[in-house]
Amino acid sequence: MAKELEGFNFEQRHGKARVRVGRVWRSKDGCRHFMVEWNVNISLLSNCVAAYVRDDNSDIVATDTMKNTVYVKAKECSEQLSAEEFAILLGKHFTSFYPQVFTAIVKIVEKPWERISVNGQPHEHGFKLGSEKHTTEAIVQKSGVLQLTSGVEGLSLLKTTQSGFEGFIRDKYTALPETRERMLATEVTASWRFSDISSVKLKMPNIHFLPVNISSKDHGSIVKFDDDVYLPTDEPHGSIEASLSRFWSKM
Amino acid sequence: MAKELEGFNFEQRHGKARVRVGRVWRSKDGCRHFMVEWNVNISLLSNCVAAYVRDDNSDIVATDTMKNTVYVKAKECSEQLSAEEFAILLGKHFTSFYPQVFTAIVKIVEKPWERISVNGQPHEHGFKLGSEKHTTEAIVQKSGVLQLTSGVEGLSLLKTTQSGFEGFIRDKYTALPETRERMLATEVTASWRFSDISSVKLKMPNIHFLPVNISSKDHGSIVKFDDDVYLPTDEPHGSIEASLSRFWSKM
Amino acid sequence: MAKELEGFNFEQRHGKARVRVGRVWRSKDGCRHFMVEWNVNISLLSNCVAAYVRDDNSDIVATDTMKNTVYVKAKECSEQLSAEEFAILLGKHFTSFYPQVFTAIVKIVEKPWERISVNGQPHEHGFKLGSEKHTTEAIVQKSGVLQLTSGVEGLSLLKTTQSGFEGFIRDKYTALPETRERMLATEVTASWRFSDISSVKLKMPNIHFLPVNISSKDHGSIVKFDDDVYLPTDEPHGSIEASLSRFWSKM
Amino acid sequence: MAKELEGFNFEQRHGKARVRVGRVWRSKDGCRHFMVEWNVNISLLSNCVAAYVRDDNSDIVATDTMKNTVYVKAKECSEQLSAEEFAILLGKHFTSFYPQVFTAIVKIVEKPWERISVNGQPHEHGFKLGSEKHTTEAIVQKSGVLQLTSGVEGLSLLKTTQSGFEGFIRDKYTALPETRERMLATEVTASWRFSDISSVKLKMPNIHFLPVNISSKDHGSIVKFDDDVYLPTDEPHGSIEASLSRFWSKM
């Protein structure tokens, strides 16, 4: 990944981002359809210093070629497969097909298309967009070593009670009252890594629902609020990130 | 709504946009929670030329006051109510409480918080964000005349077959082949109006899933594509808007 | 625009949105380049009830054809022209070329690419993206009647003093203190209409910079704030819309 | 940053994101105003396992307290300072004021408010929003060790000529023709690191302006395009990331 240039390290990667592909598979009788929509992001790490130093592109995989490869490989997958399997398949292709490429990083975000039900029956070919997205990342080395991560993003959750926050540090910058009862909301981004090592990573911002309290010097509050009216707000938000891993890991 | 100034018409409205409010109601035993999150947009039409011409704000309802009113009225609603009912309640308040206000336009977008199920049972106080949003607009006149619209936005739908497009005008600007089989996707924005008159309005952009066809002058296509690999794209998109109404209506 | 169906009015329009086109023109010696990037939105009003009622598309202009037309017409413009001129040119084309089309609505948003200066000299072919965008809309009737609007969007302005807000209505919902000194910020959307009639329309939301005031029951505020520290916020915001027109106009 | 739990590593950080602060300074005579708007993101690494394991918050700095600190410290800065200086000041405060905090990561994005000129003269207190944003990140250790990064984001650049792409790998997935002349556009995200070590990091996606080529099997292209009409598109885009550093660095 690195090439020393007169006492400097030079690192680079190039790729194609936001390659969107839809793939439809049909049951044998052609009636029942299965479909996925993937947003694919490819980064290749390769020996291509010549392109930077000598204006020589002979070791460069054009990003347009990477895009085409996504479509060709999607076509070749005659059986339905998971985003994880497709990411690995692409990663293995790039590292084995091109001598110059030593690492391929393939990320996929899957749009949550869900089969529609009509009168309690699943529809043959109708789909509706759901909410949270499934994500995956495959890092494939030329040696065949593989690091696979799966995850979810955009999962918004909320509970209206049974959350408190007490006993925290109080100092001259502290204005927040302690509470045994508050609204708790978050948008989960989570990922978990497979292989010999395994780890879990969580990002759960604290999306605040502030209890509303109106005061007027002129007329006083008209209504005494007791925490059933809230101001939901996106910014600022609390941020909490944590990871748990065997032996070693980086956050 | 209009005031003639030396041969000109002057029209103005002012209000508060993006007022977000969360409201929780509890069952009598306090165990079961019901909640809504609304994004409220208020516009008031009033006689307030003095503010523009003589720098006299004595007829102006401060937009901060409008915001507070949302919270106070939400608090006063001790029973759960719909977004439509809350929009009407606010509109009636502004047009009756302030002599200067002759029309109030209140729009509400409701966030799709859905009760979570755990082991097949609805959870008491846990919610998850869904996808499409419920919308409403109440236009309330001082006379009491009311125009109410309900709708939905962000409803993404797709079908993988049984859509065609044939027999359209062909001329020198036409490159699109005719097809009896294509993917059809859209994001529905719909609204329907109540009262003595009724109308329905639909906005259904045609979100294209383009069949992928790769050709290379050097090597030719490797794979013959037959419409099961698609390029989904947000732009450009086809736009279709239609309205159906009794007697008269404006689009 | 309307077709009566058994006591109902039916109105529809269809078109192509988000058609992006870049156009480069060169000086006679080929050295100096001029370029624009336009995002074009076309809506056509036409007699095409047959498509809805009898599944007959013979009166339909395919939206793909509209998109191609943008590129062909951009190509045909061998001399640099304004977004207004291009919108009119497209509108006249659609209403004259297609017997079925009685009205064309063409909106263009121009991206603010600005020529770069190097060492005080304008660069021949280098551009940098600026901030606010130029907009235009041409509504062209088959009769040739034209209504043209020009405007600007995304122009964010701010002044740190010499704005006040006093003397407004105070009631039990009012908490806002009066002030003779406040920060004022807005994002201007403006448009002006040409022809025998003329009008101006302004949309200037009040983007709040709230003076910060921290209080803690435990320790009291450490710092007395006097309005030089602000909390900028996007929501909620005040909304102000106004239009001024000769004789008649709609907001 | 890490705490071993029965053979696992546990890493966590918490903080407050999207804390927006505006700060105004005045010249001695009060006439000339200087202002900044910063979006501050704070992450603290601290010993607070007790909060996770024993529900004991006594080592927790509330994220609301972090937010207040931003405002108090902004107030205390009576002289105008840079985003870099403010990030360091905050980082040093958190690591020195709280025994539990061993590392503070403070990121600031500065909104590009630019002084307005009226009749060629700089205005005293009027500002207009520009385009690209200045960014900074200070990582401060309790030991006092500091790592400072400055950067820019959102700088969109384009040149209409003198870019080519030739001689790249051609294989069966390659459809892109070679070219000696193309439009080149990008949105630069760059950062550079200070201290004993120094490095530069660049992220320059290739935002494609595709030459338009229309072909119709029915009528053939009407216009022969020769690369002065382009389709600008945001997705997919090429991605290029590179870093250059003395001795060692991570991308």
Side-chain angles (χ1 to χ4, degrees):
Chain A
M1 200 201 310
K3 166 71 191 167
E4 204 143 327
L5 269 89
E6 306 170 43
F8 285 89
N9 277 330
F10 176 64
E11 298 184 10
Q12 70 81 33
R13 60 181 65 182
H14 81 299
K16 200 74 162 188
R18 297 176 67 180
V19 180
R20 289 172 64 179
V21 57
R23 181 67 167 97
V24 176
W25 294 273
R26 293 168 183 80
S27 59
K28 281 182 184 167
D29 63 2
C31 291
R32 185 153 208 157
H33 288 211
F34 304 86
M35 68 86 57
V36 292
E37 181 182 343
W38 289 326
N39 196 320
V40 183
N41 187 322
I42 298 160
S43 275
L44 301 185
L45 281 67
S46 62
N47 296 317
C48 54
V49 172
Y52 288 80
V53 176
R54 292 192 307 272
D55 204 17
D56 170 2
N57 292 325
S58 60
D59 285 332
I60 295 287
V61 183
T63 67
D64 190 74
T65 299
M66 300 181 204
K67 182 195 71 180
N68 294 342
T69 304
V70 170
Y71 294 112
V72 172
K73 291 295 173 189
K75 176 68 186 177
E76 290 176 2
C77 292
S78 55
E79 301 286 321
Q80 191 172 0
L81 76 174
S82 69
E84 280 79 1
E85 290 167 322
F86 191 61
I88 293 171
L89 183 156
L90 284 176
K92 287 189 172 171
H93 166 77
F94 288 117
T95 50
S96 63
F97 193 80
Y98 297 103
Q100 300 88 346
V101 176
F102 48 86
T103 307
I105 304 170
V106 181
K107 297 180 192 176
I108 297 179
V109 179
E110 182 168 322
K111 256 192 153 170
W113 289 108
E114 298 163 359
R115 191 176 295 278
I116 284 174
S117 282
V118 177
N119 300 327
Q121 294 299 312
H123 194 278
E124 295 284 36
H125 56 264
F127 299 84
K128 175 181 175 300
L129 196 64
S131 39
E132 72 270 14
K133 291 172 180 169
H134 172 60
T135 62
T136 193
E137 182 189 58
I139 304 181
V140 182
Q141 310 291 345
K142 194 180 275 300
S143 65
V145 170
L146 165 70
Q147 185 180 297
L148 184 65
T149 308
S150 286
V152 69
E153 66 178 35
L155 171 59
S156 290
L157 297 171
L158 173 156
K159 63 178 192 171
T160 53
T161 186
Q162 293 181 21
S163 170
F165 188 44
E166 303 171 278
F168 48 85
I169 299 173
R170 296 204 78 83
D171 55 48
K172 64 178 181 174
Y173 303 101
T174 307
L176 187 74
E178 298 189 277
T179 182
R180 297 200 162 187
E181 177 72 350
R182 60 173 184 172
M183 198 111 158
L184 191 68
T186 191
E187 184 185 315
V188 180
T189 304
S191 59
W192 42 94
R193 198 166 358 138
F194 305 98
S195 77
D196 60 338
I197 311 158
S198 83
S199 71
V200 175
K201 190 169 157 183
L202 276 171
K203 192 169 162 184
M204 294 179 66
N206 193 357
I207 308 293
H208 303 301
F209 276 66
L210 308 172
V212 174
N213 197 351
I214 295 172
S215 63
S216 156
K217 288 179 183 167
D218 295 275
H219 300 78
S221 342
I222 331 96
V223 181
K224 194 179 164 324
F225 285 89
D226 50 4
D227 289 10
D228 45 12
V229 180
Y230 300 86
L231 166 56
T233 183
D234 289 333
E235 70 177 13
H237 64 77
S239 61
I240 301 172
E241 296 183 46
S243 73
L244 190 67
S245 60
R246 289 193 192 279
F247 307 114
W248 75 91
S249 163
K250 281 203 186 122
M251 198 160 134
Chain B
M1 202 205 306
K3 165 73 190 167
E4 204 142 329
L5 268 89
E6 307 170 43
F8 285 90
N9 278 330
F10 177 63
E11 300 183 9
Q12 69 81 33
R13 60 181 65 183
H14 80 299
K16 200 75 163 187
R18 297 177 66 180
V19 180
R20 288 171 64 179
V21 56
R23 181 67 167 96
V24 176
W25 295 274
R26 293 169 182 80
S27 59
K28 281 182 184 165
D29 63 3
C31 290
R32 185 153 208 157
H33 288 211
F34 305 86
M35 68 87 57
V36 291
E37 180 181 343
W38 289 326
N39 196 320
V40 183
N41 187 321
I42 298 161
S43 275
L44 302 184
L45 282 66
S46 63
N47 296 317
C48 54
V49 172
Y52 287 81
V53 176
R54 292 192 307 274
D55 205 15
D56 170 3
N57 292 326
S58 60
D59 285 333
I60 295 286
V61 183
T63 66
D64 189 75
T65 299
M66 300 182 204
K67 182 195 70 179
N68 293 341
T69 304
V70 170
Y71 293 112
V72 172
K73 292 295 173 190
K75 176 69 186 176
E76 289 176 3
C77 293
S78 54
E79 301 286 322
Q80 190 173 359
L81 76 174
S82 69
E84 280 79 1
E85 291 166 322
F86 191 62
I88 294 171
L89 182 157
L90 284 176
K92 288 189 172 171
H93 166 77
F94 288 117
T95 50
S96 62
F97 193 79
Y98 298 103
Q100 299 89 344
V101 175
F102 49 84
T103 306
I105 303 169
V106 181
K107 297 180 193 176
I108 297 179
V109 179
E110 182 169 320
K111 255 190 155 171
W113 289 109
E114 299 164 359
R115 190 176 296 278
I116 284 174
S117 283
V118 178
N119 300 327
Q121 295 298 312
H123 194 277
E124 295 285 37
H125 57 264
F127 300 84
K128 175 179 174 302
L129 196 65
S131 40
E132 72 272 15
K133 292 173 178 168
H134 171 61
T135 62
T136 192
E137 182 189 58
I139 304 180
V140 182
Q141 309 290 345
K142 193 181 276 301
S143 64
V145 170
L146 166 70
Q147 184 181 298
L148 184 64
T149 307
S150 287
V152 70
E153 66 178 34
L155 172 58
S156 291
L157 297 172
L158 173 156
K159 63 177 191 170
T160 52
T161 186
Q162 293 179 20
S163 170
F165 188 45
E166 303 171 278
F168 48 85
I169 298 171
R170 296 204 78 84
D171 55 47
K172 63 178 181 173
Y173 302 101
T174 308
L176 187 73
E178 299 189 275
T179 180
R180 297 200 161 187
E181 177 73 350
R182 60 172 185 174
M183 199 110 158
L184 191 68
T186 191
E187 183 184 316
V188 180
T189 304
S191 59
W192 40 95
R193 196 162 6 132
F194 306 98
S195 78
D196 60 338
I197 309 158
S198 83
S199 71
V200 176
K201 191 169 157 183
L202 277 171
K203 193 169 161 183
M204 293 178 68
N206 194 358
I207 308 292
H208 304 301
F209 277 65
L210 309 172
V212 175
N213 196 352
I214 294 173
S215 62
S216 156
K217 287 178 184 169
D218 293 276
H219 300 76
S221 336
I222 330 96
V223 182
K224 193 178 165 327
F225 285 90
D226 50 4
D227 287 11
D228 44 12
V229 179
Y230 300 87
L231 166 56
T233 181
D234 289 333
E235 71 179 13
H237 64 77
S239 60
I240 301 172
E241 297 183 46
S243 73
L244 190 68
S245 59
R246 289 193 192 279
F247 306 114
W248 75 90
S249 161
K250 283 205 185 120
M251 198 162 137
Chain C
M1 201 201 311
K3 167 70 192 170
E4 204 143 327
L5 268 90
E6 307 170 44
F8 285 89
N9 277 330
F10 176 65
E11 299 185 10
Q12 69 80 32
R13 60 181 64 183
H14 81 296
K16 200 76 164 186
R18 297 176 67 181
V19 181
R20 290 171 64 179
V21 56
R23 181 67 167 95
V24 176
W25 294 274
R26 294 168 182 81
S27 59
K28 282 183 184 166
D29 63 2
C31 291
R32 184 152 210 157
H33 289 211
F34 304 86
M35 68 87 57
V36 292
E37 181 181 342
W38 289 326
N39 196 319
V40 183
N41 186 322
I42 298 161
S43 274
L44 301 186
L45 283 66
S46 62
N47 296 317
C48 53
V49 172
Y52 288 81
V53 175
R54 291 193 306 273
D55 204 17
D56 169 3
N57 292 326
S58 59
D59 285 333
I60 295 285
V61 183
T63 66
D64 190 74
T65 299
M66 300 181 204
K67 181 195 73 178
N68 294 341
T69 304
V70 170
Y71 294 112
V72 172
K73 291 296 172 189
K75 176 68 185 177
E76 289 176 1
C77 293
S78 55
E79 301 286 320
Q80 191 171 0
L81 77 174
S82 68
E84 281 79 1
E85 291 166 322
F86 191 61
I88 293 171
L89 182 157
L90 285 175
K92 288 189 171 171
H93 166 77
F94 288 117
T95 49
S96 63
F97 193 80
Y98 297 103
Q100 300 88 345
V101 175
F102 48 86
T103 307
I105 304 170
V106 181
K107 296 180 192 176
I108 297 179
V109 179
E110 182 169 321
K111 255 192 154 171
W113 290 109
E114 298 164 358
R115 191 176 295 277
I116 284 174
S117 282
V118 177
N119 300 327
Q121 295 298 313
H123 194 277
E124 295 284 38
H125 57 264
F127 300 84
K128 175 181 175 298
L129 196 65
S131 38
E132 73 272 13
K133 292 174 180 168
H134 172 60
T135 62
T136 192
E137 182 189 58
I139 304 180
V140 182
Q141 310 291 346
K142 193 180 274 302
S143 66
V145 171
L146 165 70
Q147 184 181 297
L148 184 65
T149 307
S150 287
V152 70
E153 66 178 35
L155 172 58
S156 292
L157 297 172
L158 173 157
K159 62 178 193 172
T160 52
T161 187
Q162 294 181 21
S163 170
F165 188 45
E166 303 171 279
F168 48 85
I169 297 172
R170 296 204 77 84
D171 55 48
K172 64 177 181 173
Y173 303 101
T174 308
L176 187 73
E178 298 189 277
T179 180
R180 298 201 160 186
E181 177 72 349
R182 61 171 183 171
M183 199 108 157
L184 191 69
T186 192
E187 184 185 315
V188 180
T189 304
S191 59
W192 40 94
R193 202 174 346 146
F194 306 98
S195 80
D196 59 338
I197 309 158
S198 84
S199 71
V200 176
K201 191 169 157 182
L202 276 172
K203 192 170 163 183
M204 293 178 68
N206 193 358
I207 308 292
H208 303 301
F209 277 66
L210 308 172
V212 174
N213 197 351
I214 295 172
S215 62
S216 157
K217 288 178 184 169
D218 295 276
H219 301 77
S221 354
I222 332 94
V223 182
K224 192 178 166 322
F225 284 90
D226 50 4
D227 288 12
D228 44 12
V229 180
Y230 300 86
L231 166 56
T233 182
D234 290 333
E235 71 178 13
H237 64 77
S239 61
I240 301 173
E241 296 183 47
S243 73
L244 189 68
S245 60
R246 288 193 194 278
F247 307 114
W248 75 90
S249 162
K250 282 205 185 123
M251 200 161 134
Chain D
M1 202 206 306
K3 165 72 190 168
E4 205 143 327
L5 268 89
E6 306 169 43
F8 285 89
N9 277 331
F10 176 63
E11 300 183 10
Q12 69 81 33
R13 59 181 65 183
H14 80 299
K16 199 75 163 186
R18 295 177 67 180
V19 180
R20 289 172 63 179
V21 56
R23 181 67 167 95
V24 176
W25 295 273
R26 294 168 183 79
S27 59
K28 281 183 184 166
D29 63 2
C31 291
R32 185 153 209 158
H33 288 210
F34 305 86
M35 70 86 57
V36 292
E37 180 180 343
W38 289 326
N39 196 320
V40 183
N41 187 322
I42 298 161
S43 275
L44 301 186
L45 282 66
S46 62
N47 296 317
C48 54
V49 173
Y52 287 80
V53 176
R54 292 193 307 273
D55 205 16
D56 169 3
N57 292 326
S58 60
D59 284 333
I60 295 285
V61 183
T63 66
D64 189 75
T65 299
M66 300 181 204
K67 182 195 71 178
N68 294 341
T69 304
V70 170
Y71 293 112
V72 172
K73 291 296 172 188
K75 177 68 185 177
E76 289 175 3
C77 293
S78 54
E79 301 286 322
Q80 191 172 359
L81 76 174
S82 69
E84 280 78 2
E85 290 166 323
F86 191 61
I88 294 171
L89 183 157
L90 284 175
K92 288 189 172 172
H93 166 77
F94 289 117
T95 49
S96 62
F97 193 79
Y98 298 104
Q100 299 87 345
V101 175
F102 48 85
T103 307
I105 304 170
V106 181
K107 296 180 192 176
I108 298 179
V109 179
E110 182 168 321
K111 254 191 153 171
W113 290 108
E114 298 164 358
R115 191 176 295 278
I116 283 174
S117 282
V118 177
N119 300 327
Q121 294 298 312
H123 194 277
E124 295 284 37
H125 56 264
F127 300 84
K128 175 181 175 301
L129 196 64
S131 40
E132 72 272 14
K133 293 173 179 168
H134 172 59
T135 62
T136 193
E137 182 189 57
I139 305 180
V140 181
Q141 311 290 345
K142 194 180 272 304
S143 65
V145 170
L146 165 71
Q147 184 181 298
L148 184 65
T149 308
S150 287
V152 70
E153 66 177 35
L155 171 59
S156 291
L157 297 172
L158 173 156
K159 63 178 192 172
T160 53
T161 186
Q162 293 180 20
S163 170
F165 188 45
E166 303 171 278
F168 47 86
I169 298 172
R170 298 205 77 84
D171 54 47
K172 63 178 181 173
Y173 303 101
T174 308
L176 186 74
E178 299 190 274
T179 181
R180 298 201 160 186
E181 177 72 349
R182 60 173 185 173
M183 199 109 157
L184 190 70
T186 191
E187 184 185 315
V188 180
T189 304
S191 59
W192 41 94
R193 203 175 344 146
F194 305 99
S195 78
D196 59 337
I197 309 159
S198 83
S199 71
V200 175
K201 191 169 158 183
L202 276 172
K203 193 171 162 182
M204 293 179 67
N206 193 357
I207 309 293
H208 303 301
F209 276 65
L210 309 172
V212 175
N213 196 352
I214 296 173
S215 62
S216 157
K217 287 180 183 167
D218 294 278
H219 300 76
S221 352
I222 331 94
V223 182
K224 192 180 167 322
F225 285 90
D226 50 4
D227 288 12
D228 44 12
V229 179
Y230 300 88
L231 166 57
T233 182
D234 289 333
E235 72 179 11
H237 63 78
S239 61
I240 302 173
E241 297 184 47
S243 73
L244 189 68
S245 60
R246 289 191 193 280
F247 306 115
W248 75 90
S249 161
K250 281 202 188 126
M251 199 159 137

